[in-house]
Amino acid sequence: MVAQEVEKEPEETVQPKTDFGPPHYEIMMHPIIKKNYGKWKYHEAVRPGVIKRVAESGDVLYVVRFGSPRLLSIYTIRDICDIADKYSDGYLRFTSRHNVEFFLTDPDKIEPLIQEVQEKLGFPCGGTRDTTNARYCLSNIIHTQGWVHCHTPATDASGIVKSVMDELYDYFVDYKLPAQCRISLACCANMCGAVHASDISMVGVHRKVPKIDDDAVRRTCEIPSTVAACPTGALKPDMKRKTVVLDKDKCMYCGNCYTMCPGMPIFDPENDGVAILVAGKVSDARYPPQLSKVVVPWLPNNPPRWPEVVQTVKKILETWATHAEKYERIAEWIHRIGWEKFFELTGLDFTEKLIDDYRRTPYIYASYRTSAAFRW
Amino acid sequence: MPVVDGVELPETPLLDELEKGPWPSFVKEIKRAAIEQEKAMKAGKKIKLPGSAKGLLKVLELAYKEKRTHWKHGGIVSVIGYGGGVIGRYCDLEDKVPEVWHFHTIRVNMPAGWFYTTKALRALCDAWEKWGSGLTNFHGSTGDIILLGTRTEHLQPMANALAYLDKFYGSPAPFDIGGSGSDLRTPSCCMGPSLCEFACYDTLKACYEFTMRYQNELHRPMWPYKFKIKCAGCPNDCIASKARADFAIIGTWKDEIQIDQEAVREYAKVIDIEEHVVKKCPTKAISWDGKELKIDNKNCIRCMHCINVMPKALKPGKERGATILIGGKAPFVDGAIIGWVAVPFIPENELIEKCCEILEAIWEWWDEEGKFRERVGELIWRKGMDEFLKVIGQKADVRMVYAPRNNPFIFWRELNP
Ligand code: HEM
Ligand code: HEM
Ligand code: HEM
Ligand code: HEM
Ligand code: SF4
Ligand code: SF4
Ligand code: SF4
Ligand code: SF4
């Protein structure tokens, strides 16, 4: 057989280059943004999804925001580009919460743009706020990879997000909330997203210790590094049997060992699931930043649409939205009404699982009440 | 088998449920990639990873059926000259779905503020259509562009495609790879002065400077664990840096809030200033008599609420700068931490240089003292805030605490050397 000359691609013959860094941000900035950089005077909400920005120079820019599913095919990105070319002079930006924004100078183009995006992409316009009038849209859910791409998830990410946003769609496209509400999801307790300081978060949780397959451990794992990976010291080497042994009382089901050693899978279809946390925030506005608190320790994984999770999130959101005062985020609302009232109004169960017993946390006692000043 | 546009798709009854409903569907995205990829191939385009999006559909449908992931941890894969930026990913169904047996992620360093031109995005799309699955995340949670899924042998050509994206694909600039592993993660920032009048320093410039200055730290993991820098222009912290960054730079100011009384009176025509502003001020620093708004700036804690409500009338003061919060992280291992104050105020004109000094001091200390997988915040707990303050050359300040300690168990190290 004659050896075939495979033709090389240019990318395969070129000299690799390193450490040249990302494109400078000015290269791809809309000319009006570049011109008025650092010289914006004020902004105002035009309608849900549209913010008018006025510069000291008198220039005006309408920033129009659309929710995306985060996971995008390049074919959809090309469609997004077509729209940006047509309406936005070929410029666009993405937000930290997976929204895409176009820049318009002509307010008459806003409606046609929204129409065209809805038709061609199916992306809804919304996700902004009118702080002056205390009217807020729900923003997009920040989330992680889940079953689409990660090895340690206790639940999927995109599927739950899609299901929750389908249910809360009206809150995204309209001002229906009294204050900001950030929802986020992480598919395991590593929490790649900022879910530990969100108004409502969903977190994938494992509940069973990893299943040690001694044979697979022997074949595929380096025992010292597996033992070292365990943050709680739950693993000990068993040198005689060339495997590891696990202390069930110390394990926090984090899956770190599985990352090092495929011989001890952590996933468990019937026992993995989703915990719900509430009342986190990061801005300083009115009330200091807060960590989110667990209010539902576990809900089952029920794909494709996770009805239990969707209904719980909706219940919390709607209870808060009906009872909160203007500008009162979930943390502030609960601070005013008390946790007693929160559990009463939402109908969620308070159980022993919600009392902190994670001893590694140095401020474990900080959440214990030290007064008898109760609401009944 | 369903056939769309002449392309056969796998049966995915569970995923199909997620095509329904008003919110944009990620399942539609994967299907679209599957269909268009095959059409592009039939049309003679070069596609190195045929059937990959289709493969993902199969794997994901199975995950939905079995309620478990089918991805395995990657082991080390990388590109020449880099230790991070690529996340190895293999499927445990290699015999059943060989198309996605390898499905590695490439993290691409986004431009500060996530500003793009369509030319750049199209170039990225063309390169990724050829060398990968055609699937992306815009963006990953750290901020990078995520290119989702390719084979080991395509990593280097794709990295080269990015490095020469201007030459080969007509992008206005090439793209570099982002961080992963125990290295500096891709720094990110809010849109700051590019679009937001609240910005108290230039977040994009700071982010870009850190990224460029620390290319080595970003690309070659050599620390105990990861380190994140995020730049927020004001205490609203739109990028959640307090919760997500080991080193959060939060813009703020020291002098008086700037007031345009005329504009306040305009707002008074549409909103009840007493209800929306005065009552909501956490320190009761505002008064309004129907004509003039007064702020007791000695009492104001610069929380942003009043400015958020009346952006035409109020502005942060002129003596601007930033607060550094240290140690923010997710719960793993020792519980979640919101970053706490390490430096109360650095004036705007010294900010970048001063931050670099502090960063380098922290990294040196952490490198020496940190244990495997110990974030900086956890190291500070272990070694003590007093030692940390020495490391960064910072004096204690009452603004670092809500209240002084409530125990007298003070370590008098200087008396007990
Ligand atoms: C920074 C916040 C606070 C300050 C500065 C403060 C200050 C004080 C002071 C000076 C006293 C008088 C102590 C004495 O003469 O023996 C006191 C008593 C008291 N404080 Fe506070 N307090 C604060 C927060 C609170 C909070 C949050 C609560 C309840 C949740 C509270 C409940 C009480 C009670 C019940 C007493 C009476 C104690 C007694 O009679 O022995 N305080 N507080
Ligand atoms: C033991 C701890 C952790 C492990 C083993 C871990 C592992 C991973 C893996 C494998 C991925 C890639 C997922 C994929 O694309 O396939 C990932 C992504 C990521 N991780 Fe972690 N992680 C850990 C902790 C954390 C923590 C504590 C944070 C944040 C403070 C974090 C932030 C991120 C972010 C932002 C991403 C990108 C996620 C996205 O946008 O999809 N990780 N992590
Ligand atoms: C001029 C532009 C902007 C203004 C005036 C603004 C205003 C605000 C305000 C007022 C808050 C605090 C809300 C509260 O706690 O009541 C906030 C928080 C936030 N903003 Fe912005 N924002 C702007 C741009 C953005 C952009 C571009 C993004 C992201 C793409 C963003 C994302 C966020 C997020 C995620 C938070 C939540 C922080 C938290 O969880 O507490 N903002 N912003
Ligand atoms: C992290 C910060 C804060 C902590 C730890 C805290 C703690 C407390 C505690 C323990 C109480 C007693 C009532 C209860 O048990 O629910 C209380 C009451 C109260 N706090 Fe705070 N507080 C904080 C921040 C604030 C802020 C920022 C405000 C105002 C903007 C505020 C306003 C109030 C008010 C008005 C009450 C009385 C509520 C009532 O009993 O109806 N607090 N706080
Ligand atoms: S949150 Fe956990 S499961 Fe999800 S992407 Fe991050 S590491 Fe993977
Ligand atoms: S799951 Fe986590 S805590 Fe449990 S043995 Fe593995 S590494 Fe240790
Ligand atoms: S953090 Fe502050 S400066 Fe930055 S975009 Fe948000 S409101 Fe503007
Ligand atoms: S910034 Fe906050 S603390 Fe200061 S006056 Fe305004 S509302 Fe009050």
mmCIF file of all heavy atoms in Angstrom, chain A residues 11 15 37 40 43-44 73 78 85 132 149-150 156 162 196 282 363, chain B residues 23 29 64 89 103 105 118 122 126 164 169 194 197 202 242 309 312 336:
data_model
loop_
_atom_site.group_PDB
_atom_site.id
_atom_site.type_symbol
_atom_site.label_atom_id
_atom_site.label_comp_id
_atom_site.label_asym_id
_atom_site.label_seq_id
_atom_site.Cartn_x
_atom_site.Cartn_y
_atom_site.Cartn_z
ATOM 1 N N GLU A 11 -3.383 25.288 10.576
ATOM 2 C CA GLU A 11 -3.295 25.300 12.039
ATOM 3 C C GLU A 11 -2.356 24.224 12.566
ATOM 4 O O GLU A 11 -1.971 24.239 13.726
ATOM 5 C CB GLU A 11 -4.681 25.083 12.673
ATOM 6 C CG GLU A 11 -5.656 26.214 12.460
ATOM 7 C CD GLU A 11 -6.603 25.920 11.317
ATOM 8 O OE1 GLU A 11 -6.141 25.362 10.294
ATOM 9 O OE2 GLU A 11 -7.794 26.249 11.426
ATOM 10 N N GLN A 15 3.640 27.719 14.061
ATOM 11 C CA GLN A 15 4.342 27.690 15.343
ATOM 12 C C GLN A 15 3.399 28.103 16.478
ATOM 13 O O GLN A 15 2.811 29.190 16.419
ATOM 14 C CB GLN A 15 5.506 28.685 15.243
ATOM 15 C CG GLN A 15 6.500 28.633 16.382
ATOM 16 C CD GLN A 15 7.244 27.307 16.431
ATOM 17 O OE1 GLN A 15 7.427 26.642 15.417
ATOM 18 N NE2 GLN A 15 7.633 26.899 17.631
ATOM 19 N N TYR A 37 -16.605 56.556 27.065
ATOM 20 C CA TYR A 37 -16.034 55.713 28.115
ATOM 21 C C TYR A 37 -15.751 56.545 29.373
ATOM 22 O O TYR A 37 -15.041 57.551 29.318
ATOM 23 C CB TYR A 37 -14.735 55.118 27.584
ATOM 24 C CG TYR A 37 -14.155 53.989 28.427
ATOM 25 C CD1 TYR A 37 -14.476 52.671 28.154
ATOM 26 C CD2 TYR A 37 -13.279 54.258 29.481
ATOM 27 C CE1 TYR A 37 -13.934 51.644 28.904
ATOM 28 C CE2 TYR A 37 -12.741 53.229 30.241
ATOM 29 C CZ TYR A 37 -13.077 51.923 29.941
ATOM 30 O OH TYR A 37 -12.552 50.902 30.688
ATOM 31 N N TRP A 40 -20.350 58.537 31.222
ATOM 32 C CA TRP A 40 -21.803 58.344 31.194
ATOM 33 C C TRP A 40 -22.412 59.165 32.320
ATOM 34 O O TRP A 40 -21.845 59.271 33.400
ATOM 35 C CB TRP A 40 -22.148 56.863 31.322
ATOM 36 C CG TRP A 40 -21.707 56.115 30.109
ATOM 37 C CD1 TRP A 40 -20.549 55.414 29.969
ATOM 38 C CD2 TRP A 40 -22.361 56.079 28.843
ATOM 39 N NE1 TRP A 40 -20.453 54.918 28.687
ATOM 40 C CE2 TRP A 40 -21.549 55.320 27.973
ATOM 41 C CE3 TRP A 40 -23.549 56.613 28.324
ATOM 42 C CZ2 TRP A 40 -21.875 55.066 26.639
ATOM 43 C CZ3 TRP A 40 -23.884 56.370 27.003
ATOM 44 C CH2 TRP A 40 -23.057 55.606 26.174
ATOM 45 N N HIS A 43 -28.688 56.730 33.557
ATOM 46 C CA HIS A 43 -29.428 55.763 32.751
ATOM 47 C C HIS A 43 -30.872 55.767 33.206
ATOM 48 O O HIS A 43 -31.181 56.204 34.323
ATOM 49 C CB HIS A 43 -28.827 54.366 32.910
ATOM 50 C CG HIS A 43 -28.998 53.790 34.279
ATOM 51 N ND1 HIS A 43 -28.164 54.102 35.326
ATOM 52 C CD2 HIS A 43 -29.934 52.948 34.774
ATOM 53 C CE1 HIS A 43 -28.565 53.459 36.408
ATOM 54 N NE2 HIS A 43 -29.632 52.753 36.113
ATOM 55 N N GLU A 44 -31.769 55.300 32.341
ATOM 56 C CA GLU A 44 -33.131 55.091 32.810
ATOM 57 C C GLU A 44 -33.733 53.887 32.101
ATOM 58 O O GLU A 44 -33.324 53.513 31.009
ATOM 59 C CB GLU A 44 -33.986 56.355 32.644
ATOM 60 C CG GLU A 44 -34.235 56.794 31.253
ATOM 61 C CD GLU A 44 -34.794 58.228 31.181
ATOM 62 O OE1 GLU A 44 -34.677 59.009 32.151
ATOM 63 O OE2 GLU A 44 -35.347 58.566 30.130
ATOM 64 N N SER A 73 -25.078 26.896 20.099
ATOM 65 C CA SER A 73 -24.357 26.333 18.968
ATOM 66 C C SER A 73 -23.788 27.486 18.148
ATOM 67 O O SER A 73 -24.332 28.590 18.156
ATOM 68 C CB SER A 73 -25.286 25.477 18.109
ATOM 69 O OG SER A 73 -26.139 26.318 17.355
ATOM 70 N N ARG A 78 -23.985 32.607 14.911
ATOM 71 C CA ARG A 78 -23.948 33.310 13.611
ATOM 72 C C ARG A 78 -25.236 34.093 13.378
ATOM 73 O O ARG A 78 -25.200 35.212 12.838
ATOM 74 C CB ARG A 78 -23.718 32.302 12.480
ATOM 75 C CG ARG A 78 -22.284 31.804 12.440
ATOM 76 C CD ARG A 78 -22.103 30.819 11.302
ATOM 77 N NE ARG A 78 -20.752 30.263 11.313
ATOM 78 C CZ ARG A 78 -20.459 29.026 10.896
ATOM 79 N NH1 ARG A 78 -21.398 28.237 10.429
ATOM 80 N NH2 ARG A 78 -19.212 28.614 10.920
ATOM 81 N N ASP A 85 -25.225 42.736 13.188
ATOM 82 C CA ASP A 85 -24.806 43.491 11.996
ATOM 83 C C ASP A 85 -25.920 44.413 11.524
ATOM 84 O O ASP A 85 -25.685 45.554 11.151
ATOM 85 C CB ASP A 85 -24.434 42.524 10.859
ATOM 86 C CG ASP A 85 -23.051 41.914 11.065
ATOM 87 O OD1 ASP A 85 -22.230 42.541 11.767
ATOM 88 O OD2 ASP A 85 -22.801 40.807 10.552
ATOM 89 N N THR A 132 -35.627 53.096 40.037
ATOM 90 C CA THR A 132 -36.311 54.308 40.464
ATOM 91 C C THR A 132 -37.733 53.998 40.943
ATOM 92 O O THR A 132 -38.180 54.472 41.974
ATOM 93 C CB THR A 132 -36.373 55.315 39.292
ATOM 94 O OG1 THR A 132 -35.037 55.564 38.864
ATOM 95 C CG2 THR A 132 -37.048 56.604 39.699
ATOM 96 N N HIS A 149 -21.724 18.069 30.774
ATOM 97 C CA HIS A 149 -20.273 18.022 30.625
ATOM 98 C C HIS A 149 -19.446 17.736 31.856
ATOM 99 O O HIS A 149 -18.236 17.662 31.788
ATOM 100 C CB HIS A 149 -19.770 19.319 29.976
ATOM 101 C CG HIS A 149 -18.471 19.154 29.268
ATOM 102 N ND1 HIS A 149 -17.285 19.672 29.752
ATOM 103 C CD2 HIS A 149 -18.147 18.492 28.154
ATOM 104 C CE1 HIS A 149 -16.312 19.355 28.933
ATOM 105 N NE2 HIS A 149 -16.796 18.634 27.958
ATOM 106 N N CYS A 150 -20.035 17.590 33.053
ATOM 107 C CA CYS A 150 -19.157 17.427 34.210
ATOM 108 C C CYS A 150 -19.209 16.001 34.757
ATOM 109 O O CYS A 150 -20.148 15.267 34.500
ATOM 110 C CB CYS A 150 -19.501 18.428 35.310
ATOM 111 S SG CYS A 150 -18.166 18.540 36.533
ATOM 112 N N ASP A 156 -28.628 17.647 36.914
ATOM 113 C CA ASP A 156 -28.313 18.375 35.697
ATOM 114 C C ASP A 156 -28.437 19.876 35.980
ATOM 115 O O ASP A 156 -29.015 20.279 36.984
ATOM 116 C CB ASP A 156 -29.253 17.971 34.562
ATOM 117 C CG ASP A 156 -28.805 18.574 33.230
ATOM 118 O OD1 ASP A 156 -27.578 18.711 33.033
ATOM 119 O OD2 ASP A 156 -29.659 18.929 32.403
ATOM 120 N N LYS A 162 -33.879 25.418 32.406
ATOM 121 C CA LYS A 162 -34.902 25.563 31.369
ATOM 122 C C LYS A 162 -36.302 25.396 31.975
ATOM 123 O O LYS A 162 -37.213 26.189 31.710
ATOM 124 C CB LYS A 162 -34.625 24.523 30.277
ATOM 125 C CG LYS A 162 -35.770 24.215 29.347
ATOM 126 C CD LYS A 162 -35.931 25.251 28.245
ATOM 127 C CE LYS A 162 -36.978 24.778 27.221
ATOM 128 N NZ LYS A 162 -37.976 25.805 26.931
ATOM 129 N N HIS A 196 -23.815 30.466 46.398
ATOM 130 C CA HIS A 196 -23.847 30.536 47.846
ATOM 131 C C HIS A 196 -24.137 31.943 48.335
ATOM 132 O O HIS A 196 -24.102 32.201 49.521
ATOM 133 C CB HIS A 196 -22.533 30.046 48.428
ATOM 134 C CG HIS A 196 -21.346 30.693 47.805
ATOM 135 N ND1 HIS A 196 -20.982 30.465 46.508
ATOM 136 C CD2 HIS A 196 -20.461 31.590 48.277
ATOM 137 C CE1 HIS A 196 -19.915 31.196 46.220
ATOM 138 N NE2 HIS A 196 -19.590 31.885 47.269
ATOM 139 N N VAL A 282 -25.146 39.836 47.383
ATOM 140 C CA VAL A 282 -23.778 40.348 47.408
ATOM 141 C C VAL A 282 -23.681 41.866 47.376
ATOM 142 O O VAL A 282 -22.673 42.418 47.800
ATOM 143 C CB VAL A 282 -22.886 39.775 46.275
ATOM 144 C CG1 VAL A 282 -22.790 38.277 46.362
ATOM 145 C CG2 VAL A 282 -23.357 40.203 44.917
ATOM 146 N N TYR A 363 -17.681 29.117 62.084
ATOM 147 C CA TYR A 363 -18.743 29.919 62.687
ATOM 148 C C TYR A 363 -20.029 29.118 62.799
ATOM 149 O O TYR A 363 -21.123 29.641 62.679
ATOM 150 C CB TYR A 363 -18.983 31.201 61.899
ATOM 151 C CG TYR A 363 -18.928 31.047 60.410
ATOM 152 C CD1 TYR A 363 -19.945 30.432 59.702
ATOM 153 C CD2 TYR A 363 -17.822 31.525 59.712
ATOM 154 C CE1 TYR A 363 -19.876 30.289 58.337
ATOM 155 C CE2 TYR A 363 -17.753 31.391 58.345
ATOM 156 C CZ TYR A 363 -18.780 30.782 57.661
ATOM 157 O OH TYR A 363 -18.715 30.646 56.309
ATOM 158 N N TRP B 23 -38.997 29.471 27.213
ATOM 159 C CA TRP B 23 -37.600 29.863 27.427
ATOM 160 C C TRP B 23 -36.707 29.182 26.381
ATOM 161 O O TRP B 23 -36.964 28.044 26.009
ATOM 162 C CB TRP B 23 -37.156 29.459 28.849
ATOM 163 C CG TRP B 23 -35.822 30.028 29.207
ATOM 164 C CD1 TRP B 23 -34.633 29.358 29.258
ATOM 165 C CD2 TRP B 23 -35.518 31.387 29.507
ATOM 166 N NE1 TRP B 23 -33.620 30.218 29.585
ATOM 167 C CE2 TRP B 23 -34.134 31.467 29.746
ATOM 168 C CE3 TRP B 23 -36.289 32.549 29.589
ATOM 169 C CZ2 TRP B 23 -33.498 32.675 30.067
ATOM 170 C CZ3 TRP B 23 -35.644 33.746 29.907
ATOM 171 C CH2 TRP B 23 -34.274 33.792 30.148
ATOM 172 N N GLU B 29 -30.438 23.804 20.795
ATOM 173 C CA GLU B 29 -29.075 24.192 20.391
ATOM 174 C C GLU B 29 -28.248 22.965 20.023
ATOM 175 O O GLU B 29 -27.538 22.964 19.022
ATOM 176 C CB GLU B 29 -28.387 24.970 21.516
ATOM 177 C CG GLU B 29 -28.951 26.367 21.752
ATOM 178 C CD GLU B 29 -28.848 27.248 20.518
ATOM 179 O OE1 GLU B 29 -27.774 27.275 19.888
ATOM 180 O OE2 GLU B 29 -29.858 27.897 20.187
ATOM 181 N N TYR B 64 -30.355 11.440 31.304
ATOM 182 C CA TYR B 64 -31.715 11.776 31.764
ATOM 183 C C TYR B 64 -32.482 10.520 32.148
ATOM 184 O O TYR B 64 -33.265 10.525 33.087
ATOM 185 C CB TYR B 64 -32.449 12.575 30.671
ATOM 186 C CG TYR B 64 -32.284 14.053 30.857
ATOM 187 C CD1 TYR B 64 -31.023 14.638 30.776
ATOM 188 C CD2 TYR B 64 -33.354 14.875 31.180
ATOM 189 C CE1 TYR B 64 -30.836 15.989 30.991
ATOM 190 C CE2 TYR B 64 -33.190 16.232 31.392
ATOM 191 C CZ TYR B 64 -31.936 16.782 31.298
ATOM 192 O OH TYR B 64 -31.761 18.124 31.521
ATOM 193 N N ARG B 89 -11.963 15.639 29.439
ATOM 194 C CA ARG B 89 -13.268 15.044 29.686
ATOM 195 C C ARG B 89 -13.423 13.842 28.777
ATOM 196 O O ARG B 89 -13.206 13.939 27.568
ATOM 197 C CB ARG B 89 -14.335 16.101 29.369
ATOM 198 C CG ARG B 89 -15.727 15.713 29.683
ATOM 199 C CD ARG B 89 -15.977 15.454 31.151
ATOM 200 N NE ARG B 89 -15.991 16.636 31.975
ATOM 201 C CZ ARG B 89 -15.308 16.758 33.126
ATOM 202 N NH1 ARG B 89 -14.558 15.772 33.544
ATOM 203 N NH2 ARG B 89 -15.363 17.849 33.822
ATOM 204 N N PHE B 103 -14.068 14.525 24.939
ATOM 205 C CA PHE B 103 -14.941 15.696 24.765
ATOM 206 C C PHE B 103 -14.399 16.819 25.646
ATOM 207 O O PHE B 103 -15.077 17.324 26.527
ATOM 208 C CB PHE B 103 -16.384 15.317 25.127
ATOM 209 C CG PHE B 103 -17.407 16.107 24.361
ATOM 210 C CD1 PHE B 103 -17.437 16.091 22.974
ATOM 211 C CD2 PHE B 103 -18.366 16.862 25.023
ATOM 212 C CE1 PHE B 103 -18.393 16.810 22.262
ATOM 213 C CE2 PHE B 103 -19.325 17.581 24.329
ATOM 214 C CZ PHE B 103 -19.345 17.550 22.948
ATOM 215 N N THR B 105 -12.905 20.369 27.097
ATOM 216 C CA THR B 105 -13.291 21.784 27.046
ATOM 217 C C THR B 105 -12.063 22.667 26.882
ATOM 218 O O THR B 105 -11.035 22.419 27.505
ATOM 219 C CB THR B 105 -13.967 22.178 28.383
ATOM 220 O OG1 THR B 105 -15.265 21.631 28.416
ATOM 221 C CG2 THR B 105 -14.080 23.676 28.534
ATOM 222 N N THR B 118 -19.000 41.223 15.589
ATOM 223 C CA THR B 118 -19.500 40.027 14.914
ATOM 224 C C THR B 118 -18.365 39.346 14.134
ATOM 225 O O THR B 118 -18.366 38.141 13.968
ATOM 226 C CB THR B 118 -20.651 40.393 13.958
ATOM 227 O OG1 THR B 118 -20.218 41.426 13.077
ATOM 228 C CG2 THR B 118 -21.843 40.894 14.748
ATOM 229 N N ARG B 122 -17.752 35.467 14.540
ATOM 230 C CA ARG B 122 -17.835 34.587 13.370
ATOM 231 C C ARG B 122 -16.540 33.799 13.188
ATOM 232 O O ARG B 122 -16.550 32.622 12.811
ATOM 233 C CB ARG B 122 -18.130 35.393 12.102
ATOM 234 C CG ARG B 122 -19.550 35.915 12.008
ATOM 235 C CD ARG B 122 -19.731 36.678 10.681
ATOM 236 N NE ARG B 122 -20.812 37.633 10.738
ATOM 237 C CZ ARG B 122 -22.098 37.314 10.584
ATOM 238 N NH1 ARG B 122 -22.459 36.066 10.379
ATOM 239 N NH2 ARG B 122 -23.023 38.249 10.650
ATOM 240 N N ASP B 126 -16.196 29.805 13.068
ATOM 241 C CA ASP B 126 -15.619 29.062 11.939
ATOM 242 C C ASP B 126 -14.542 28.096 12.427
ATOM 243 O O ASP B 126 -14.480 26.947 12.006
ATOM 244 C CB ASP B 126 -15.021 30.027 10.905
ATOM 245 C CG ASP B 126 -16.109 30.848 10.222
ATOM 246 O OD1 ASP B 126 -17.307 30.488 10.380
ATOM 247 O OD2 ASP B 126 -15.781 31.859 9.563
ATOM 248 N N TYR B 164 -3.960 32.407 16.022
ATOM 249 C CA TYR B 164 -3.843 33.069 14.713
ATOM 250 C C TYR B 164 -5.221 33.358 14.149
ATOM 251 O O TYR B 164 -5.420 33.332 12.937
ATOM 252 C CB TYR B 164 -3.047 32.186 13.755
ATOM 253 C CG TYR B 164 -1.600 32.014 14.161
ATOM 254 C CD1 TYR B 164 -1.210 30.981 14.997
ATOM 255 C CD2 TYR B 164 -0.622 32.909 13.720
ATOM 256 C CE1 TYR B 164 0.112 30.819 15.390
ATOM 257 C CE2 TYR B 164 0.704 32.763 14.109
ATOM 258 C CZ TYR B 164 1.065 31.720 14.948
ATOM 259 O OH TYR B 164 2.375 31.578 15.325
ATOM 260 N N TYR B 169 -8.657 33.480 10.191
ATOM 261 C CA TYR B 169 -10.124 33.570 10.182
ATOM 262 C C TYR B 169 -10.662 34.995 10.142
ATOM 263 O O TYR B 169 -11.863 35.205 10.241
ATOM 264 C CB TYR B 169 -10.694 32.826 11.396
ATOM 265 C CG TYR B 169 -10.500 31.326 11.343
ATOM 266 C CD1 TYR B 169 -9.362 30.730 11.874
ATOM 267 C CD2 TYR B 169 -11.453 30.503 10.744
ATOM 268 C CE1 TYR B 169 -9.181 29.354 11.813
ATOM 269 C CE2 TYR B 169 -11.287 29.126 10.685
ATOM 270 C CZ TYR B 169 -10.147 28.555 11.227
ATOM 271 O OH TYR B 169 -9.972 27.198 11.170
ATOM 272 N N SER B 194 -17.330 51.594 30.928
ATOM 273 C CA SER B 194 -17.707 51.488 29.519
ATOM 274 C C SER B 194 -19.182 51.837 29.341
ATOM 275 O O SER B 194 -19.562 52.364 28.306
ATOM 276 C CB SER B 194 -17.412 50.090 28.983
ATOM 277 O OG SER B 194 -18.243 49.135 29.604
ATOM 278 N N GLU B 197 -22.410 54.627 34.878
ATOM 279 C CA GLU B 197 -21.953 55.878 35.484
ATOM 280 C C GLU B 197 -21.586 55.716 36.953
ATOM 281 O O GLU B 197 -21.073 56.634 37.560
ATOM 282 C CB GLU B 197 -23.027 56.961 35.321
ATOM 283 C CG GLU B 197 -24.314 56.742 36.097
ATOM 284 C CD GLU B 197 -25.338 55.877 35.358
ATOM 285 O OE1 GLU B 197 -24.955 55.194 34.387
ATOM 286 O OE2 GLU B 197 -26.516 55.892 35.760
ATOM 287 N N ASP B 202 -11.622 52.314 36.889
ATOM 288 C CA ASP B 202 -11.710 51.699 35.570
ATOM 289 C C ASP B 202 -11.543 50.185 35.699
ATOM 290 O O ASP B 202 -10.431 49.659 35.719
ATOM 291 C CB ASP B 202 -10.644 52.298 34.649
ATOM 292 C CG ASP B 202 -10.864 51.894 33.196
ATOM 293 O OD1 ASP B 202 -11.511 50.858 32.965
ATOM 294 O OD2 ASP B 202 -10.377 52.607 32.299
ATOM 295 N N LYS B 242 -17.641 39.550 45.549
ATOM 296 C CA LYS B 242 -17.496 39.285 46.989
ATOM 297 C C LYS B 242 -17.670 37.803 47.291
ATOM 298 O O LYS B 242 -17.083 37.284 48.224
ATOM 299 C CB LYS B 242 -18.568 40.048 47.765
ATOM 300 C CG LYS B 242 -18.299 41.520 47.878
ATOM 301 C CD LYS B 242 -19.563 42.235 48.380
ATOM 302 C CE LYS B 242 -19.651 43.602 47.730
ATOM 303 N NZ LYS B 242 -20.984 44.187 47.858
ATOM 304 N N VAL B 309 -31.555 54.421 43.079
ATOM 305 C CA VAL B 309 -32.934 54.838 42.831
ATOM 306 C C VAL B 309 -32.979 56.124 42.003
ATOM 307 O O VAL B 309 -33.861 56.297 41.169
ATOM 308 C CB VAL B 309 -33.688 55.023 44.169
ATOM 309 C CG1 VAL B 309 -35.109 55.532 43.918
ATOM 310 C CG2 VAL B 309 -33.731 53.702 44.936
ATOM 311 N N LYS B 312 -30.035 59.947 38.068
ATOM 312 C CA LYS B 312 -29.856 61.266 37.444
ATOM 313 C C LYS B 312 -29.466 62.312 38.473
ATOM 314 O O LYS B 312 -28.856 63.311 38.132
ATOM 315 C CB LYS B 312 -31.180 61.717 36.810
ATOM 316 C CG LYS B 312 -31.309 61.348 35.355
ATOM 317 C CD LYS B 312 -32.564 61.972 34.768
ATOM 318 C CE LYS B 312 -33.375 60.868 34.107
ATOM 319 N NZ LYS B 312 -34.613 61.362 33.511
ATOM 320 N N ALA B 336 -18.756 28.165 52.907
ATOM 321 C CA ALA B 336 -18.696 29.323 52.032
ATOM 322 C C ALA B 336 -18.191 30.537 52.802
ATOM 323 O O ALA B 336 -18.395 30.648 54.004
ATOM 324 C CB ALA B 336 -20.076 29.609 51.463
#
